[in-house]
Amino acid sequence: MNKDIENKLQAKNIRQTAMRQLVLKVFTEEKTAVSLPELEEKIERADKATLYRTLKTFELNKLIHKIDDGSGTTKYALCEDTCTCSPHDLHVHFHCSKCDKTYCLNDIPVPLIKLPVGFSLDKVNMVVEGICINCKI
Amino acid sequence: MNKDIENKLQAKNIRQTAMRQLVLKVFTEEKTAVSLPELEEKIERADKATLYRTLKTFELNKLIHKIDDGSGTTKYALCEDTCTCSPHDLHVHFHCSKCDKTYCLNDIPVPLIKLPVGFSLDKVNMVVEGICINCKI
DNA sequence: GTTCTTGCAAAATATTTGCAAGACG
DNA sequence: CGTCTTGCAAATATTTTGCAAGAAC
């Protein structure tokens, strides 16, 4: 219930507000990644600026992670409970070029890359583009 | 010389224009990926719309490839001569979070991913984020 | 009561499109 | 000369910022 949402926020030391609870609720109900325009649709009377700031706060506190799926609109998805957002527990994302939905492939970790000498690794964004199971004929 | 540029355009069946030759020249001279704002800086009297259309044409004809490095601005880099832009010859990109430069790691192919059943693969965007060799202390 | 968050407005940035004039082949 | 490209203007989309009023703890 709502208790669950409140707990999740508290666990990450994020101040409780109605807007944040609503946004987090949307994330828990969605199976695919969420973009800002989608949030605007689902949440009445929501201000863009507030939503962007809410997402930034959530990302900073590792409640959600950012996905750059190449669609031109940044999407976000819930982190798994154990996620530290370090390169070790990053997973591959899938972007459907037909329905524009983006999936977290939580079971597929991003392969480790051996960088050239002198380059240091911080994080990895790996997006596979194709047709998803719901769009294939 | 310019002959080289003209040949590259002709090889891809792209009509010769002064603007296209200038844009392609910038690409051949750059070791890192190029964004539209950078093109505007380097080419006097260049119109944004023309540049965007030029990039689109080049991309369509597999002269350059698009890189979504998460910086908010799309970048492009020259394809290798043998590149078909199929998943097989895609390589990993590196984005430096300090200087914002993006490198093609041509020697590092994107690892092949086994997708869940029902998902088809078209292409892959893999960007490693970190500090590049020129920015490390 | 101090600090953080919201809502509104406005700006900054990125990208796309229509159209008439001009260049390419 | 028919088709493609350019330049200009304007529209659309995305994201960020300032600031005063209000809410959280």
Side-chain angles (χ1 to χ4, degrees), chain A residues 79-103:
Chain A
C79 288
E80 309 227 88
D81 283 343
T82 58
C83 174
T84 63
C85 286
S86 73
H88 313 292
D89 48 26
L90 295 171
H91 52 264
V92 175
H93 294 102
F94 181 92
H95 178 240
C96 177
S97 43
K98 200 162 174 188
C99 67
D100 190 41
K101 283 204 192 315
T102 298
Y103 300 75

Side-chain angles (χ1 to χ4, degrees), chain A residues 6-125:
Chain A
E6 287 173 34
N7 289 341
K8 268 202 164 84
L9 288 174
Q10 184 154 42
K12 303 284 184 178
N13 277 306
I14 299 171
R15 210 182 261 211
Q16 306 282 343
T17 73
M19 186 52 55
R20 287 172 178 178
Q21 289 165 0
L22 281 172
V23 172
L24 182 50
K25 188 156 175 292
V26 172
F27 274 106
T28 59
E29 286 167 352
E30 285 299 321
K31 277 164 292 296
T32 54
V34 180
S35 68
L36 190 117
E38 282 175 79
L39 283 176
E40 273 190 292
E41 272 178 32
K42 309 220 174 197
I43 303 178
E44 307 275 323
R45 281 185 9 273
D47 179 66
K48 272 190 223 297
T50 303
L51 290 177
Y52 274 113
R53 284 186 281 222
T54 300
L55 292 173
K56 188 171 283 181
T57 302
F58 282 8
E59 192 195 359
L60 213 65
N61 291 284
K62 302 192 192 312
L63 195 52
I64 61 178
H65 58 276
K66 184 194 279 211
I67 309 163
D68 221 310
D69 64 6
S71 70
T73 312
T74 305
K75 299 206 180 83
Y76 296 84
L78 267 191
C79 288
E80 309 227 88
D81 283 343
T82 58
C83 174
T84 63
C85 286
S86 73
H88 313 292
D89 48 26
L90 295 171
H91 52 264
V92 175
H93 294 102
F94 181 92
H95 178 240
C96 177
S97 43
K98 200 162 174 188
C99 67
D100 190 41
K101 283 204 192 315
T102 298
Y103 300 75
C104 285
L105 305 181
N106 282 308
D107 297 338
I108 307 180
V110 297
L112 289 181
I113 295 296
K114 189 170 160 27
L115 291 174
V117 177
F119 289 71
S120 72
L121 184 152
D122 185 23
K123 58 185 173 187
V124 181
N125 185 46

Side-chain angles (χ1 to χ4, degrees), chain B residues 113-127:
Chain B
I113 295 296
K114 189 170 161 23
L115 292 174
V117 177
F119 289 72
S120 70
L121 183 151
D122 185 24
K123 59 184 171 184
V124 181
N125 186 44
M126 183 167 184
V127 178

